[in-house]
Amino acid sequence: HLSLVYEHIFQVFAEIFRVLRPGGVFIVSFSNRMFYEKAITSWRDGSDYSRVQLVVQYFQSVVGFTEAEVVRKSPGGRKGGGGERPWYMGLLELLSGSSKDPFYAVIAYKNFKPVYE
């Protein structure tokens, strides 16, 4: 049963990759709130860090996504990432609102060039 759940998640990521244009962005955002009964075990039992790594692993399961970037917005206003401010940061700030929970986004792009193994 659990392997079927993971297989479906990987299929969803593969399908999103398929329909994205080259250079298209896929953002998975979340906080640490959840419906306990509806979450998969590794999400329920994991830490914030392990949840981020789980989403990164989903991106890595599809050949052709760029290396995933992780953005963290703490309730105190600190932000993860660094460097220049990407276009999507304003959107992520809107989505995170004024919640007291940390907000995470894992971001990857569909590569412009084919990736060969």
Side-chain angles (χ1 to χ4, degrees):
H1 178 280
L2 186 59
S3 63
L4 187 60
V5 170
Y6 287 116
E7 183 178 327
H8 286 273
I9 293 169
F10 295 131
Q11 288 174 349
V12 167
F13 272 67
E15 181 63 12
I16 290 171
F17 178 84
R18 187 188 70 77
V19 300
L20 278 176
R21 292 182 179 152
V25 63
F26 180 17
I27 302 172
V28 176
S29 61
F30 54 93
S31 72
N32 59 6
R33 293 185 182 205
M34 73 181 99
F35 290 103
Y36 188 84
E37 305 80 25
K38 295 181 179 184
I40 60 174
T41 304
S42 56
W43 196 267
R44 282 193 313 244
D45 297 344
S47 64
D48 289 349
Y49 176 80
S50 67
R51 291 181 194 122
V52 167
Q53 292 309 307
L54 186 61
V55 176
V56 167
Q57 180 183 1
Y58 295 154
F59 277 111
Q60 291 171 342
S61 72
V62 178
V63 174
F65 274 119
T66 60
E67 183 177 345
E69 176 185 350
V70 177
V71 176
R72 180 181 190 269
K73 185 174 186 289
S74 300
R78 292 185 335 235
K79 297 172 191 157
E84 290 184 24
R85 182 181 163 94
W87 65 268
Y88 51 77
M89 285 304 295
L91 174 64
L92 295 177
E93 288 172 3
L94 279 174
L95 292 172
S96 67
S98 59
S99 172
K100 295 181 181 186
D101 298 318
F103 175 84
Y104 300 92
V106 183
I107 303 151
Y109 294 85
K110 183 174 182 175
N111 274 328
F112 284 97
K113 298 178 184 175
V115 177
Y116 302 101
E117 291 185 16

PDB file of all heavy atoms in Angstrom, residues 3-34:
ATOM      1  N   SER A   3       4.031   1.623  -0.937  1.00  0.00           N
ATOM      2  CA  SER A   3       4.777   1.781  -2.184  1.00  0.00           C
ATOM      3  C   SER A   3       3.866   2.298  -3.295  1.00  0.00           C
ATOM      4  O   SER A   3       4.308   3.031  -4.175  1.00  0.00           O
ATOM      5  CB  SER A   3       5.442   0.472  -2.590  1.00  0.00           C
ATOM      6  OG  SER A   3       4.472  -0.513  -2.844  1.00  0.00           O
ATOM      7  N   LEU A   4       2.591   1.957  -3.258  1.00  0.00           N
ATOM      8  CA  LEU A   4       1.634   2.459  -4.241  1.00  0.00           C
ATOM      9  C   LEU A   4       1.458   3.968  -4.089  1.00  0.00           C
ATOM     10  O   LEU A   4       1.378   4.694  -5.087  1.00  0.00           O
ATOM     11  CB  LEU A   4       0.298   1.733  -4.078  1.00  0.00           C
ATOM     12  CG  LEU A   4      -0.767   2.014  -5.117  1.00  0.00           C
ATOM     13  CD1 LEU A   4      -0.259   1.614  -6.504  1.00  0.00           C
ATOM     14  CD2 LEU A   4      -2.028   1.249  -4.779  1.00  0.00           C
ATOM     15  N   VAL A   5       1.427   4.449  -2.858  1.00  0.00           N
ATOM     16  CA  VAL A   5       1.306   5.887  -2.608  1.00  0.00           C
ATOM     17  C   VAL A   5       2.501   6.616  -3.202  1.00  0.00           C
ATOM     18  O   VAL A   5       2.349   7.616  -3.906  1.00  0.00           O
ATOM     19  CB  VAL A   5       1.188   6.177  -1.089  1.00  0.00           C
ATOM     20  CG1 VAL A   5       1.315   7.669  -0.806  1.00  0.00           C
ATOM     21  CG2 VAL A   5      -0.122   5.637  -0.542  1.00  0.00           C
ATOM     22  N   TYR A   6       3.708   6.119  -2.926  1.00  0.00           N
ATOM     23  CA  TYR A   6       4.906   6.766  -3.457  1.00  0.00           C
ATOM     24  C   TYR A   6       4.933   6.707  -4.981  1.00  0.00           C
ATOM     25  O   TYR A   6       5.329   7.668  -5.631  1.00  0.00           O
ATOM     26  CB  TYR A   6       6.169   6.132  -2.880  1.00  0.00           C
ATOM     27  CG  TYR A   6       6.398   6.501  -1.437  1.00  0.00           C
ATOM     28  CD1 TYR A   6       6.376   5.538  -0.442  1.00  0.00           C
ATOM     29  CD2 TYR A   6       6.617   7.823  -1.073  1.00  0.00           C
ATOM     30  CE1 TYR A   6       6.574   5.882   0.886  1.00  0.00           C
ATOM     31  CE2 TYR A   6       6.812   8.182   0.243  1.00  0.00           C
ATOM     32  CZ  TYR A   6       6.798   7.199   1.228  1.00  0.00           C
ATOM     33  OH  TYR A   6       6.990   7.560   2.529  1.00  0.00           O
ATOM     34  N   GLU A   7       4.506   5.595  -5.535  1.00  0.00           N
ATOM     35  CA  GLU A   7       4.466   5.475  -6.992  1.00  0.00           C
ATOM     36  C   GLU A   7       3.559   6.536  -7.599  1.00  0.00           C
ATOM     37  O   GLU A   7       3.885   7.143  -8.610  1.00  0.00           O
ATOM     38  CB  GLU A   7       3.985   4.075  -7.387  1.00  0.00           C
ATOM     39  CG  GLU A   7       3.986   3.847  -8.878  1.00  0.00           C
ATOM     40  CD  GLU A   7       3.546   2.442  -9.234  1.00  0.00           C
ATOM     41  OE1 GLU A   7       3.837   1.514  -8.455  1.00  0.00           O
ATOM     42  OE2 GLU A   7       2.898   2.295 -10.287  1.00  0.00           O
ATOM     43  N   HIS A   8       2.430   6.799  -6.964  1.00  0.00           N
ATOM     44  CA  HIS A   8       1.508   7.827  -7.456  1.00  0.00           C
ATOM     45  C   HIS A   8       2.131   9.215  -7.360  1.00  0.00           C
ATOM     46  O   HIS A   8       1.958  10.032  -8.265  1.00  0.00           O
ATOM     47  CB  HIS A   8       0.178   7.774  -6.692  1.00  0.00           C
ATOM     48  CG  HIS A   8      -0.675   6.621  -7.088  1.00  0.00           C
ATOM     49  ND1 HIS A   8      -1.552   6.667  -8.143  1.00  0.00           N
ATOM     50  CD2 HIS A   8      -0.762   5.375  -6.578  1.00  0.00           C
ATOM     51  CE1 HIS A   8      -2.157   5.503  -8.260  1.00  0.00           C
ATOM     52  NE2 HIS A   8      -1.693   4.697  -7.321  1.00  0.00           N
ATOM     53  N   ILE A   9       2.833   9.479  -6.283  1.00  0.00           N
ATOM     54  CA  ILE A   9       3.490  10.783  -6.132  1.00  0.00           C
ATOM     55  C   ILE A   9       4.520  10.979  -7.237  1.00  0.00           C
ATOM     56  O   ILE A   9       4.579  12.038  -7.869  1.00  0.00           O
ATOM     57  CB  ILE A   9       4.133  10.912  -4.736  1.00  0.00           C
ATOM     58  CG1 ILE A   9       3.035  10.954  -3.670  1.00  0.00           C
ATOM     59  CG2 ILE A   9       5.012  12.165  -4.657  1.00  0.00           C
ATOM     60  CD1 ILE A   9       3.536  10.812  -2.255  1.00  0.00           C
ATOM     61  N   PHE A  10       5.328   9.963  -7.497  1.00  0.00           N
ATOM     62  CA  PHE A  10       6.327  10.060  -8.556  1.00  0.00           C
ATOM     63  C   PHE A  10       5.657  10.240  -9.919  1.00  0.00           C
ATOM     64  O   PHE A  10       6.145  10.997 -10.764  1.00  0.00           O
ATOM     65  CB  PHE A  10       7.248   8.843  -8.546  1.00  0.00           C
ATOM     66  CG  PHE A  10       8.087   8.746  -7.302  1.00  0.00           C
ATOM     67  CD1 PHE A  10       8.157   7.563  -6.589  1.00  0.00           C
ATOM     68  CD2 PHE A  10       8.808   9.833  -6.828  1.00  0.00           C
ATOM     69  CE1 PHE A  10       8.923   7.463  -5.429  1.00  0.00           C
ATOM     70  CE2 PHE A  10       9.587   9.759  -5.680  1.00  0.00           C
ATOM     71  CZ  PHE A  10       9.643   8.568  -4.975  1.00  0.00           C
ATOM     72  N   GLN A  11       4.530   9.569 -10.131  1.00  0.00           N
ATOM     73  CA  GLN A  11       3.794   9.734 -11.390  1.00  0.00           C
ATOM     74  C   GLN A  11       3.276  11.162 -11.543  1.00  0.00           C
ATOM     75  O   GLN A  11       3.291  11.712 -12.646  1.00  0.00           O
ATOM     76  CB  GLN A  11       2.635   8.743 -11.461  1.00  0.00           C
ATOM     77  CG  GLN A  11       3.064   7.316 -11.681  1.00  0.00           C
ATOM     78  CD  GLN A  11       1.890   6.335 -11.594  1.00  0.00           C
ATOM     79  OE1 GLN A  11       0.794   6.681 -11.179  1.00  0.00           O
ATOM     80  NE2 GLN A  11       2.152   5.097 -11.992  1.00  0.00           N
ATOM     81  N   VAL A  12       2.833  11.754 -10.454  1.00  0.00           N
ATOM     82  CA  VAL A  12       2.352  13.138 -10.497  1.00  0.00           C
ATOM     83  C   VAL A  12       3.502  14.071 -10.878  1.00  0.00           C
ATOM     84  O   VAL A  12       3.351  14.943 -11.743  1.00  0.00           O
ATOM     85  CB  VAL A  12       1.726  13.544  -9.144  1.00  0.00           C
ATOM     86  CG1 VAL A  12       1.513  15.055  -9.069  1.00  0.00           C
ATOM     87  CG2 VAL A  12       0.423  12.805  -8.915  1.00  0.00           C
ATOM     88  N   PHE A  13       4.663  13.904 -10.262  1.00  0.00           N
ATOM     89  CA  PHE A  13       5.811  14.742 -10.588  1.00  0.00           C
ATOM     90  C   PHE A  13       6.228  14.542 -12.046  1.00  0.00           C
ATOM     91  O   PHE A  13       6.562  15.512 -12.738  1.00  0.00           O
ATOM     92  CB  PHE A  13       6.977  14.470  -9.636  1.00  0.00           C
ATOM     93  CG  PHE A  13       6.928  15.306  -8.386  1.00  0.00           C
ATOM     94  CD1 PHE A  13       5.927  15.128  -7.449  1.00  0.00           C
ATOM     95  CD2 PHE A  13       7.887  16.279  -8.145  1.00  0.00           C
ATOM     96  CE1 PHE A  13       5.871  15.898  -6.302  1.00  0.00           C
ATOM     97  CE2 PHE A  13       7.837  17.061  -7.001  1.00  0.00           C
ATOM     98  CZ  PHE A  13       6.828  16.872  -6.079  1.00  0.00           C
ATOM     99  N   ALA A  14       6.204  13.307 -12.535  1.00  0.00           N
ATOM    100  CA  ALA A  14       6.562  13.028 -13.926  1.00  0.00           C
ATOM    101  C   ALA A  14       5.570  13.690 -14.884  1.00  0.00           C
ATOM    102  O   ALA A  14       5.965  14.229 -15.923  1.00  0.00           O
ATOM    103  CB  ALA A  14       6.623  11.523 -14.166  1.00  0.00           C
ATOM    104  N   GLU A  15       4.308  13.660 -14.557  1.00  0.00           N
ATOM    105  CA  GLU A  15       3.295  14.273 -15.417  1.00  0.00           C
ATOM    106  C   GLU A  15       3.426  15.797 -15.419  1.00  0.00           C
ATOM    107  O   GLU A  15       3.296  16.431 -16.468  1.00  0.00           O
ATOM    108  CB  GLU A  15       1.888  13.855 -14.976  1.00  0.00           C
ATOM    109  CG  GLU A  15       0.769  14.428 -15.814  1.00  0.00           C
ATOM    110  CD  GLU A  15       0.783  13.988 -17.278  1.00  0.00           C
ATOM    111  OE1 GLU A  15       1.519  13.054 -17.644  1.00  0.00           O
ATOM    112  OE2 GLU A  15       0.039  14.601 -18.072  1.00  0.00           O
ATOM    113  N   ILE A  16       3.686  16.383 -14.272  1.00  0.00           N
ATOM    114  CA  ILE A  16       3.893  17.832 -14.230  1.00  0.00           C
ATOM    115  C   ILE A  16       5.111  18.199 -15.073  1.00  0.00           C
ATOM    116  O   ILE A  16       5.087  19.167 -15.833  1.00  0.00           O
ATOM    117  CB  ILE A  16       4.023  18.325 -12.779  1.00  0.00           C
ATOM    118  CG1 ILE A  16       2.660  18.209 -12.088  1.00  0.00           C
ATOM    119  CG2 ILE A  16       4.546  19.760 -12.729  1.00  0.00           C
ATOM    120  CD1 ILE A  16       2.675  18.441 -10.606  1.00  0.00           C
ATOM    121  N   PHE A  17       6.178  17.406 -14.980  1.00  0.00           N
ATOM    122  CA  PHE A  17       7.356  17.650 -15.804  1.00  0.00           C
ATOM    123  C   PHE A  17       6.981  17.580 -17.283  1.00  0.00           C
ATOM    124  O   PHE A  17       7.394  18.421 -18.082  1.00  0.00           O
ATOM    125  CB  PHE A  17       8.460  16.633 -15.490  1.00  0.00           C
ATOM    126  CG  PHE A  17       9.671  16.808 -16.348  1.00  0.00           C
ATOM    127  CD1 PHE A  17      10.637  17.736 -16.009  1.00  0.00           C
ATOM    128  CD2 PHE A  17       9.837  16.069 -17.503  1.00  0.00           C
ATOM    129  CE1 PHE A  17      11.753  17.925 -16.809  1.00  0.00           C
ATOM    130  CE2 PHE A  17      10.946  16.235 -18.316  1.00  0.00           C
ATOM    131  CZ  PHE A  17      11.908  17.176 -17.958  1.00  0.00           C
ATOM    132  N   ARG A  18       6.202  16.608 -17.649  1.00  0.00           N
ATOM    133  CA  ARG A  18       5.828  16.418 -19.055  1.00  0.00           C
ATOM    134  C   ARG A  18       5.102  17.624 -19.618  1.00  0.00           C
ATOM    135  O   ARG A  18       5.356  18.052 -20.738  1.00  0.00           O
ATOM    136  CB  ARG A  18       4.960  15.164 -19.210  1.00  0.00           C
ATOM    137  CG  ARG A  18       4.668  14.787 -20.662  1.00  0.00           C
ATOM    138  CD  ARG A  18       3.653  13.655 -20.773  1.00  0.00           C
ATOM    139  NE  ARG A  18       2.306  14.052 -20.386  1.00  0.00           N
ATOM    140  CZ  ARG A  18       1.484  14.780 -21.151  1.00  0.00           C
ATOM    141  NH1 ARG A  18       1.851  15.207 -22.327  1.00  0.00           N
ATOM    142  NH2 ARG A  18       0.264  15.083 -20.710  1.00  0.00           N
ATOM    143  N   VAL A  19       4.177  18.217 -18.855  1.00  0.00           N
ATOM    144  CA  VAL A  19       3.355  19.309 -19.374  1.00  0.00           C
ATOM    145  C   VAL A  19       4.010  20.682 -19.240  1.00  0.00           C
ATOM    146  O   VAL A  19       3.539  21.637 -19.853  1.00  0.00           O
ATOM    147  CB  VAL A  19       1.944  19.326 -18.733  1.00  0.00           C
ATOM    148  CG1 VAL A  19       1.226  18.020 -19.010  1.00  0.00           C
ATOM    149  CG2 VAL A  19       2.001  19.616 -17.252  1.00  0.00           C
ATOM    150  N   LEU A  20       5.080  20.787 -18.462  1.00  0.00           N
ATOM    151  CA  LEU A  20       5.774  22.070 -18.342  1.00  0.00           C
ATOM    152  C   LEU A  20       6.526  22.393 -19.624  1.00  0.00           C
ATOM    153  O   LEU A  20       7.084  21.512 -20.276  1.00  0.00           O
ATOM    154  CB  LEU A  20       6.795  22.032 -17.194  1.00  0.00           C
ATOM    155  CG  LEU A  20       6.297  22.273 -15.786  1.00  0.00           C
ATOM    156  CD1 LEU A  20       7.444  22.101 -14.796  1.00  0.00           C
ATOM    157  CD2 LEU A  20       5.672  23.641 -15.641  1.00  0.00           C
ATOM    158  N   ARG A  21       6.558  23.662 -19.959  1.00  0.00           N
ATOM    159  CA  ARG A  21       7.405  24.119 -21.059  1.00  0.00           C
ATOM    160  C   ARG A  21       8.850  24.100 -20.579  1.00  0.00           C
ATOM    161  O   ARG A  21       9.115  24.214 -19.384  1.00  0.00           O
ATOM    162  CB  ARG A  21       7.043  25.547 -21.436  1.00  0.00           C
ATOM    163  CG  ARG A  21       5.690  25.677 -22.057  1.00  0.00           C
ATOM    164  CD  ARG A  21       5.433  27.113 -22.433  1.00  0.00           C
ATOM    165  NE  ARG A  21       4.138  27.218 -23.043  1.00  0.00           N
ATOM    166  CZ  ARG A  21       3.395  28.298 -23.019  1.00  0.00           C
ATOM    167  NH1 ARG A  21       3.833  29.385 -22.406  1.00  0.00           N
ATOM    168  NH2 ARG A  21       2.228  28.320 -23.607  1.00  0.00           N
ATOM    169  N   PRO A  22       9.801  24.016 -21.497  1.00  0.00           N
ATOM    170  CA  PRO A  22      11.206  24.131 -21.083  1.00  0.00           C
ATOM    171  C   PRO A  22      11.411  25.451 -20.336  1.00  0.00           C
ATOM    172  O   PRO A  22      10.951  26.505 -20.770  1.00  0.00           O
ATOM    173  CB  PRO A  22      11.970  24.117 -22.408  1.00  0.00           C
ATOM    174  CG  PRO A  22      11.078  23.327 -23.322  1.00  0.00           C
ATOM    175  CD  PRO A  22       9.671  23.724 -22.931  1.00  0.00           C
ATOM    176  N   GLY A  23      12.028  25.367 -19.183  1.00  0.00           N
ATOM    177  CA  GLY A  23      12.215  26.536 -18.330  1.00  0.00           C
ATOM    178  C   GLY A  23      11.057  26.788 -17.386  1.00  0.00           C
ATOM    179  O   GLY A  23      11.121  27.678 -16.535  1.00  0.00           O
ATOM    180  N   GLY A  24       9.975  26.000 -17.519  1.00  0.00           N
ATOM    181  CA  GLY A  24       8.812  26.162 -16.648  1.00  0.00           C
ATOM    182  C   GLY A  24       9.165  25.834 -15.205  1.00  0.00           C
ATOM    183  O   GLY A  24      10.007  24.991 -14.928  1.00  0.00           O
ATOM    184  N   VAL A  25       8.508  26.492 -14.266  1.00  0.00           N
ATOM    185  CA  VAL A  25       8.811  26.332 -12.847  1.00  0.00           C
ATOM    186  C   VAL A  25       7.727  25.503 -12.163  1.00  0.00           C
ATOM    187  O   VAL A  25       6.543  25.623 -12.484  1.00  0.00           O
ATOM    188  CB  VAL A  25       8.978  27.706 -12.148  1.00  0.00           C
ATOM    189  CG1 VAL A  25       7.694  28.516 -12.172  1.00  0.00           C
ATOM    190  CG2 VAL A  25       9.468  27.542 -10.721  1.00  0.00           C
ATOM    191  N   PHE A  26       8.143  24.644 -11.239  1.00  0.00           N
ATOM    192  CA  PHE A  26       7.240  23.849 -10.413  1.00  0.00           C
ATOM    193  C   PHE A  26       7.589  24.184  -8.969  1.00  0.00           C
ATOM    194  O   PHE A  26       8.721  23.988  -8.538  1.00  0.00           O
ATOM    195  CB  PHE A  26       7.434  22.371 -10.715  1.00  0.00           C
ATOM    196  CG  PHE A  26       6.554  21.417  -9.931  1.00  0.00           C
ATOM    197  CD1 PHE A  26       5.407  21.834  -9.271  1.00  0.00           C
ATOM    198  CD2 PHE A  26       6.877  20.073  -9.869  1.00  0.00           C
ATOM    199  CE1 PHE A  26       4.607  20.942  -8.570  1.00  0.00           C
ATOM    200  CE2 PHE A  26       6.084  19.173  -9.171  1.00  0.00           C
ATOM    201  CZ  PHE A  26       4.952  19.608  -8.519  1.00  0.00           C
ATOM    202  N   ILE A  27       6.623  24.742  -8.240  1.00  0.00           N
ATOM    203  CA  ILE A  27       6.824  25.142  -6.849  1.00  0.00           C
ATOM    204  C   ILE A  27       5.917  24.297  -5.964  1.00  0.00           C
ATOM    205  O   ILE A  27       4.706  24.268  -6.159  1.00  0.00           O
ATOM    206  CB  ILE A  27       6.492  26.634  -6.632  1.00  0.00           C
ATOM    207  CG1 ILE A  27       7.354  27.517  -7.532  1.00  0.00           C
ATOM    208  CG2 ILE A  27       6.652  27.021  -5.166  1.00  0.00           C
ATOM    209  CD1 ILE A  27       6.968  28.990  -7.525  1.00  0.00           C
ATOM    210  N   VAL A  28       6.515  23.616  -4.999  1.00  0.00           N
ATOM    211  CA  VAL A  28       5.751  22.872  -3.997  1.00  0.00           C
ATOM    212  C   VAL A  28       5.942  23.631  -2.691  1.00  0.00           C
ATOM    213  O   VAL A  28       7.061  23.752  -2.188  1.00  0.00           O
ATOM    214  CB  VAL A  28       6.258  21.419  -3.854  1.00  0.00           C
ATOM    215  CG1 VAL A  28       5.505  20.699  -2.745  1.00  0.00           C
ATOM    216  CG2 VAL A  28       6.131  20.677  -5.174  1.00  0.00           C
ATOM    217  N   SER A  29       4.860  24.174  -2.157  1.00  0.00           N
ATOM    218  CA  SER A  29       4.966  24.966  -0.932  1.00  0.00           C
ATOM    219  C   SER A  29       4.113  24.336   0.168  1.00  0.00           C
ATOM    220  O   SER A  29       3.089  23.719  -0.099  1.00  0.00           O
ATOM    221  CB  SER A  29       4.536  26.413  -1.187  1.00  0.00           C
ATOM    222  OG  SER A  29       3.189  26.470  -1.604  1.00  0.00           O
ATOM    223  N   PHE A  30       4.573  24.516   1.404  1.00  0.00           N
ATOM    224  CA  PHE A  30       3.868  23.928   2.543  1.00  0.00           C
ATOM    225  C   PHE A  30       4.349  24.557   3.838  1.00  0.00           C
ATOM    226  O   PHE A  30       5.394  25.201   3.893  1.00  0.00           O
ATOM    227  CB  PHE A  30       4.065  22.406   2.590  1.00  0.00           C
ATOM    228  CG  PHE A  30       5.505  21.974   2.572  1.00  0.00           C
ATOM    229  CD1 PHE A  30       6.203  21.740   3.744  1.00  0.00           C
ATOM    230  CD2 PHE A  30       6.172  21.801   1.367  1.00  0.00           C
ATOM    231  CE1 PHE A  30       7.533  21.344   3.720  1.00  0.00           C
ATOM    232  CE2 PHE A  30       7.495  21.396   1.334  1.00  0.00           C
ATOM    233  CZ  PHE A  30       8.177  21.172   2.513  1.00  0.00           C
ATOM    234  N   SER A  31       3.562  24.378   4.878  1.00  0.00           N
ATOM    235  CA  SER A  31       3.962  24.756   6.234  1.00  0.00           C
ATOM    236  C   SER A  31       4.019  23.456   7.039  1.00  0.00           C
ATOM    237  O   SER A  31       3.955  22.370   6.474  1.00  0.00           O
ATOM    238  CB  SER A  31       2.965  25.744   6.845  1.00  0.00           C
ATOM    239  OG  SER A  31       1.750  25.083   7.166  1.00  0.00           O
ATOM    240  N   ASN A  32       4.109  23.571   8.341  1.00  0.00           N
ATOM    241  CA  ASN A  32       4.154  22.348   9.146  1.00  0.00           C
ATOM    242  C   ASN A  32       2.770  21.944   9.666  1.00  0.00           C
ATOM    243  O   ASN A  32       2.659  21.054  10.473  1.00  0.00           O
ATOM    244  CB  ASN A  32       5.163  22.463  10.287  1.00  0.00           C
ATOM    245  CG  ASN A  32       4.855  23.600  11.227  1.00  0.00           C
ATOM    246  OD1 ASN A  32       3.831  24.261  11.123  1.00  0.00           O
ATOM    247  ND2 ASN A  32       5.756  23.853  12.160  1.00  0.00           N
ATOM    248  N   ARG A  33       1.725  22.573   9.167  1.00  0.00           N
ATOM    249  CA  ARG A  33       0.358  22.170   9.528  1.00  0.00           C
ATOM    250  C   ARG A  33      -0.099  21.067   8.583  1.00  0.00           C
ATOM    251  O   ARG A  33       0.314  21.032   7.424  1.00  0.00           O
ATOM    252  CB  ARG A  33      -0.595  23.349   9.421  1.00  0.00           C
ATOM    253  CG  ARG A  33      -0.295  24.406  10.444  1.00  0.00           C
ATOM    254  CD  ARG A  33      -1.320  25.476  10.390  1.00  0.00           C
ATOM    255  NE  ARG A  33      -0.981  26.505  11.357  1.00  0.00           N
ATOM    256  CZ  ARG A  33      -1.853  27.315  11.888  1.00  0.00           C
ATOM    257  NH1 ARG A  33      -3.121  27.234  11.546  1.00  0.00           N
ATOM    258  NH2 ARG A  33      -1.479  28.220  12.747  1.00  0.00           N
ATOM    259  N   MET A  34      -0.955  20.186   9.072  1.00  0.00           N
ATOM    260  CA  MET A  34      -1.443  19.092   8.228  1.00  0.00           C
ATOM    261  C   MET A  34      -2.699  18.484   8.831  1.00  0.00           C
ATOM    262  O   MET A  34      -3.004  18.687  10.006  1.00  0.00           O
ATOM    263  CB  MET A  34      -0.368  18.017   8.091  1.00  0.00           C
ATOM    264  CG  MET A  34      -0.176  17.182   9.361  1.00  0.00           C
ATOM    265  SD  MET A  34       1.078  15.934   9.246  1.00  0.00           S
ATOM    266  CE  MET A  34       2.426  16.778  10.049  1.00  0.00           C
TER     267      MET A  34
END
